[in-house]
Structure formats: structure tokens, C-alpha cells
């Protein structure tokens, strides 16, 4: 008998001919997350992953880390034993004794028989396992409707017994959905948007636009810390910083104030597109939600889209602010996001912004500016960091 971490891939089982590629990517991500722990060999058994845990005192932290990996359905600590009922019984007894259940406990036995050559079917195995529990533990009784303890036996090429399984954050493995550049403002919404896209397998980079010294070093530090917190879930983040001060100065000097937000957003997309072309990103992610602020109307979104040929993904587009806040709290970005350091969008926001801009009006304002020169000047301020989860 030996202790293992069992991993179920869930949604990946629906991927048909691409399934092996997705599973291979998931295994890579799990092993990366568990780097530094005392683990042994890993192997697949009927498309479930098993990882040997050499130090069982690390199980709590191993489970915590593995549940944060995208592309998994659930994980569970289990014992691998022989495919005979004597070894199965020994494993179940060890599992239950390890939990130190002193009071009365209701239970139900569950069995999976992936190996169809095994002598009994799933229902027969479960019934026999239930008898083992009753024979060994006087404080256990059967409750098939609302059991407190679930006793599982999983018969594959090898046999596995376990009591608990832990849900993960689900989704698809990082990197299987392409690469996208997140416009990370420092507010509540954009980190949540990046997380939601990462759940669908998208590798996330981040770009933060600032206007130092009009905005503070603390505002820049805040955005970097948001990227650091995101990296717990999305992995390593290639992080770009661009100073927009010259662009805002030119807009304020030459253009009508009410168009400032839309004009600056279009500049951001042009700059982001230059970086995407150089660093091989396939599109952009923003934290916009329809109607949340004046610049997030259908008309504004359409005009901003026109500034780039790459797709702009808005995973929060139909979400209420309360939903976004709850998700931000769940991924622990909320407390950082509400720190009172203004980003450049807030600092230069007009008092009465246009809510239904027309493209020809925006283009008329842009004709007052040297767009290419302003973009190139902004790119000269570029700073790049690789933010790695610890």
C-alpha cells in the first residue's frame, strides 16, 4: 500500500481527438504546482492521474496547491492497494483510523469498476465494502441518503481507496486556449476578467498604463501586486508598463475634453497591438461590463474595437458589479483593488464623458494628433517584468 494524490480531469474527457494533448498539458501544470513537495512517480491509470506522496504530512498543502490548477475536476488523497478484498479492507481500515472518528458516523460505500474484467460489478463491490466498514467500526452505520462519510473504492489497472475528494477551480489547462494580453487597470474588474479567461485555457500577460508622476509609484505598485496575486492561479505573467502621460497631454491640449476616455482607450489598444505582435499574443482582455460606466456602452465598445484588428475579450460583459466583487474577493484581489491610488483612467477622466460616440467624430478628433509619433513615444517608456508565483 502507498499514498497517492488522485486527479480527475473532468471536462477534458470530452475533448475527443485532442484529449491526450489537453491531459498532457494538465499533468505538466499539476507537477509544476507541486514542485518542491516530496513526491515520487506519477502515472495515468484509465485516464486518471496519480502522484505518489512520499511525505503524507504535506497532503494539506499539496491539495491546496493542486485545487488551484486549471483543467482539473477534483483531487483526492488515496491509498493504492492490491486488487483483492483483503488489501482493500486493510486500506479502508487505515483510511478511517487515520481520521480518528470517535463519535458515531453515518457512511455510504461507493465503487467504480473501470477494469471490467474484475470479478464483481460496482454495486456488488460497494456492498462488500460496506460490510467491511461495519465489521471493523462499531461507531459507523449506513445512511444512503445523507452520509457523513463517503467510502470510495476505484478499481482500474490498480486499486485505489479514499474517503474525501476536493473540487478544483475547473476550466481548461493554461495555454490550450491561446495567449491574451490583459489591460490591468488596478481596479476591481480587470483581475477578475483575467482570471475568467485563464479558466478557459488562455495564457495571460498583463499591460498596465500609468501617467507617472501625475499618478503615484504606489498606483504602479498596486497593479504589480494585483498581477502577483493573479499569478497564483494563472501562472507566470509577462507584465508590461507604459507611461501614457504624453498622450493624455496631447489629447487635453488638442481635443475636446468629453472624448478623452474614448481617445485614450483607442491609444491603449494601438499600443497593446504593437506589443501583441512582438510578443505573440492573440488578443486582448478587458474588465468592461456593459453599462457599468459611461465608457462601457455598446457605442463606446464598438468605437474602441475599431482601433485594433485583434479580438478584445470581455468576459464580465453581462455581470453585475456585486458578482464581480464576490469573484474578486474569492481570488483575493479585492482588498488590493480598493486601495485608494488612482490609475491614469480615473485621473484624466472628463466630468461629462461622451456615452454614445460616433466613429467619424472620434476620427475627426484623432486627426488633430500625430498618432504614430505618440504611440512610438509611449513605447519608449516600456518596462517589462516577469511575475512568477512563489
Amino acid at each position: 500500500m502507498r499514498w497517492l494524490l488522485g486527479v480527475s480531469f473532468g471536462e477534458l474527457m470530452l475533448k475527443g481527438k485532442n484529449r491526450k494533448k489537453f491531459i498532457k498539458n494538465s499533468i505538466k501544470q499539476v507537477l509544476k504546482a507541486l514542485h518542491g513537495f516530496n513526491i515520487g512517480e506519477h502515472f495515468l491509470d484509465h485516464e486518471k492521474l496519480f502522484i505518489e506522496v512520499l511525505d503524507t504530512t504535506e497532503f494539506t498543502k499539496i491539495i491546496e496547491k493542486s485545487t488551484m490548477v486549471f483543467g482539473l475536476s477534483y483531487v483526492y488523497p488515496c491509498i493504492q492497494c492490491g486488487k483483492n478484498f483483503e488489501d482493500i479492507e486493510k486500506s479502508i481500515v487505515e483510511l478511517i483510523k487515520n481520521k480518528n472518528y470517535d463519535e458515531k458516523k453515518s457512511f455510504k460505500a461507493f465503487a467504480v469498476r473501470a477494469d471490467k474484467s474484475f470479478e464483481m460489478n460496482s454495486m456488488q463491490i460497494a456492498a462488500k465494502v460496506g460490510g467491511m466498514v461495519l465489521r471493523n467500526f462499531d461507531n459507523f452505520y449506513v445512511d444512503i441518503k445523507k452520509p457523513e462519510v463517503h467510502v470510495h473504492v476505484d478499481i482500474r489497472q490498480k486499486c485505489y481507496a479514499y474517503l474525501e475528494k476536493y473540487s478544483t477551480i475547473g476550466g481548461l489547462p493554461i495555454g490550450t486556449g491561446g495567449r491574451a494580453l490583459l489591460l490591468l487597470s488596478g481596479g476591481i474588474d480587470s483581475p477578475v476578467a483575467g482570471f475568467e479567461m485563464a479558466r478557459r485555457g488562455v495564457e495571460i500577460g498583463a499591460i498596465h498604463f500609468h501617467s507617472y508622476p501625475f499618478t503615484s509609484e504606489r498606483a504602479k505598485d498596486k497593479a504589480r501586486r494585483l498581477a502577483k496575486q493573479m499569478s497564483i492561479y494563472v501562472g507566470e505573467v509577462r507584465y508590461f508598463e507604459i507611461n501614457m502621460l504624453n498622450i493624455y497631454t496631447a489629447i487635453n491640449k488638442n481635443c475636446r475634453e468629453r472624448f478623452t476616455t474614448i481617445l485614450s482607450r483607442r491609444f491603449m489598444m494601438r499600443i497593446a497591438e504593437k506589443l501583441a505582435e512582438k510578443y505573440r499574443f492573440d488578443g486582448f482582455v478587458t474588465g468592461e461590463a456593459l453599462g457599468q460606466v459611461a465608457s462601457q456602452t455598446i457605442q463606446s465598445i464598438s468605437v474602441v474595437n475599431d482601433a485594433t484588428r485583434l479580438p478584445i475579450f470581455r468576459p464580465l460583459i453581462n455581470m453585475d458589479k456585486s458578482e464581480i466583487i464576490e469573484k474578486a474577493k474569492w481570488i483575493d484581489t479585492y482588498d488590493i483593488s480598493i486601495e485608494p491610488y488612482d490609475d491614469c483612467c480615473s485621473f484624466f477622466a472628463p466630468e461629462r464623458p461622451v456615452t454614445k460616440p460616433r466613429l467619424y467624430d472620434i476620427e475627426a478628433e484623432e486627426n488633430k494628433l500625430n498618432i504614430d509619433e505618440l504611440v512610438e513615444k509611449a513605447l519608449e517608456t516600456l518596462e517589462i517584468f516577469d511575475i512568477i508565483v512563489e
Side-chain angles (χ1 to χ4, degrees):
M1 294 190 296
R2 59 175 176 167
W3 284 91
L4 306 168
L5 177 73
V7 178
S8 173
F9 295 113
E11 183 180 349
L12 303 191
M13 295 298 101
L14 306 176
K15 292 300 174 183
K17 293 180 180 179
N18 292 322
R19 184 167 56 200
K20 289 184 179 179
K21 175 184 174 183
F22 277 72
I23 290 176
K24 183 178 179 180
N25 191 297
S26 280
I27 293 172
K28 179 181 176 182
Q29 298 297 331
V30 174
L31 295 178
K32 185 177 180 180
L34 298 186
H35 177 73
F37 289 102
N38 192 7
I39 58 176
E41 68 163 334
H42 66 276
F43 57 92
L44 285 172
D45 189 344
H46 285 267
E47 296 188 324
K48 278 193 177 182
L49 172 66
F50 295 92
I51 303 169
E52 186 177 17
V53 177
L54 301 175
D55 182 357
T56 56
T57 64
E58 295 183 330
F59 248 128
T60 299
K61 289 184 177 179
I62 285 173
I63 289 167
E64 180 183 340
K65 283 283 187 180
S66 57
T67 55
M68 293 181 181
V69 177
F70 292 114
L72 313 181
S73 178
Y74 58 86
V75 298
Y76 52 97
C78 63
I79 292 177
Q80 179 190 319
C81 58
K83 287 168 70 171
N84 60 78
F85 286 107
E86 181 180 351
D87 283 353
I88 291 171
E89 184 165 4
K90 288 179 182 177
S91 299
I92 290 168
V93 169
E94 182 171 346
L95 284 165
I96 295 176
K97 283 185 175 179
N98 194 54
K99 288 293 182 181
N100 295 315
Y101 294 125
D102 293 325
E103 67 281 10
K104 277 191 167 293
K105 285 288 181 183
S106 62
F107 83 98
K108 181 180 177 180
F110 301 83
V112 172
R113 186 186 62 148
D115 176 7
K116 300 305 179 185
S117 67
F118 193 75
E119 59 196 73
M120 291 184 176
N121 63 32
S122 297
M123 290 185 65
Q124 292 169 328
I125 296 167
K128 195 167 183 69
V129 168
M132 294 174 185
V133 175
L134 293 172
R135 183 164 60 249
N136 285 277
F137 298 95
D138 294 336
N139 58 324
F140 273 63
Y141 64 95
V142 175
D143 183 345
I144 62 172
K145 290 186 177 180
K146 293 184 178 180
E148 297 172 279
V149 180
H150 295 203
V151 181
H152 295 266
V153 171
D154 192 356
I155 295 179
R156 299 175 175 270
Q157 289 181 341
K158 299 170 183 175
C159 184
Y160 312 91
Y162 61 98
L163 300 181
E164 299 164 308
K165 56 185 180 181
Y166 301 85
S167 297
T168 70
I169 54 180
L172 298 174
I174 294 292
T176 57
R179 305 178 74 228
L181 198 53
L182 169 69
L183 275 67
L184 185 62
S185 66
I188 296 170
D189 304 334
S190 52
V192 176
F195 173 83
E196 290 299 320
M197 289 302 293
R199 285 190 74 238
R200 303 315 301 163
V202 177
E203 182 183 337
I204 296 295
I207 180 168
H208 176 66
F209 295 97
H210 63 90
S211 52
Y212 182 82
F214 278 77
T215 50
S216 67
E217 283 286 354
R218 288 184 174 182
K220 290 199 292 182
D221 177 67
K222 172 184 173 181
R224 291 176 195 171
R225 285 185 288 119
L226 283 172
K228 184 75 170 179
Q229 178 61 30
M230 285 177 59
S231 71
I232 294 173
Y233 300 96
V234 308
E236 182 177 337
V237 176
R238 175 62 63 92
Y239 182 83
F240 305 90
E241 279 184 355
I242 292 282
N243 194 324
M244 289 273 289
L245 183 56
N246 283 346
I247 291 173
Y248 277 110
T249 301
I251 291 172
N252 287 342
K253 181 179 178 181
N254 298 288
C255 303
R256 286 179 285 176
E257 182 188 11
R258 62 197 299 258
F259 293 110
T260 299
T261 301
I262 298 299
L263 290 169
S264 61
R265 295 287 287 180
R266 282 169 61 88
F267 269 103
M268 290 177 185
M269 291 305 171
R270 292 185 180 103
I271 293 167
E273 184 174 86
K274 293 280 188 183
L275 295 175
E277 289 172 351
K278 184 173 181 178
Y279 295 97
R280 298 183 180 180
F281 289 94
D282 307 307
F284 309 119
V285 181
T286 74
E288 292 161 297
L290 193 61
Q292 189 178 118
V293 296
S295 63
Q296 295 177 14
T297 63
I298 290 177
Q299 295 87 346
S300 296
I301 287 170
S302 178
V303 170
V304 171
N305 285 352
D306 179 75
T308 177
R309 62 177 181 80
L310 294 178
I312 304 172
F313 297 98
R314 298 175 172 91
L316 313 184
I317 196 69
N318 70 331
M319 291 179 66
D320 294 334
K321 193 66 175 184
S322 59
E323 295 178 87
I324 299 169
I325 288 172
E326 285 304 308
K327 184 60 69 72
K329 290 178 178 178
W330 190 79
I331 63 174
D332 290 327
T333 56
Y334 179 76
D335 289 339
I336 302 173
S337 294
I338 62 174
E339 291 175 4
Y341 309 122
D342 286 338
D343 57 36
C344 59
C345 296
S346 302
F347 193 87
F348 289 99
E351 288 186 15
R352 299 183 65 183
V354 62
T355 58
K356 296 181 180 179
R358 295 170 294 188
L359 183 58
Y360 60 81
D361 286 331
I362 297 299
E363 289 176 338
E365 295 297 313
E366 289 179 339
N367 285 336
K368 304 172 185 178
L369 304 168
N370 189 329
I371 292 174
D372 291 340
E373 182 180 310
L374 287 169
V375 168
E376 290 305 316
K377 284 287 185 182
L379 285 168
E380 290 174 7
T381 70
L382 174 65
E383 294 184 82
I384 304 175
F385 309 90
D386 288 320
I387 296 179
I388 304 172
V389 62
E390 295 176 352

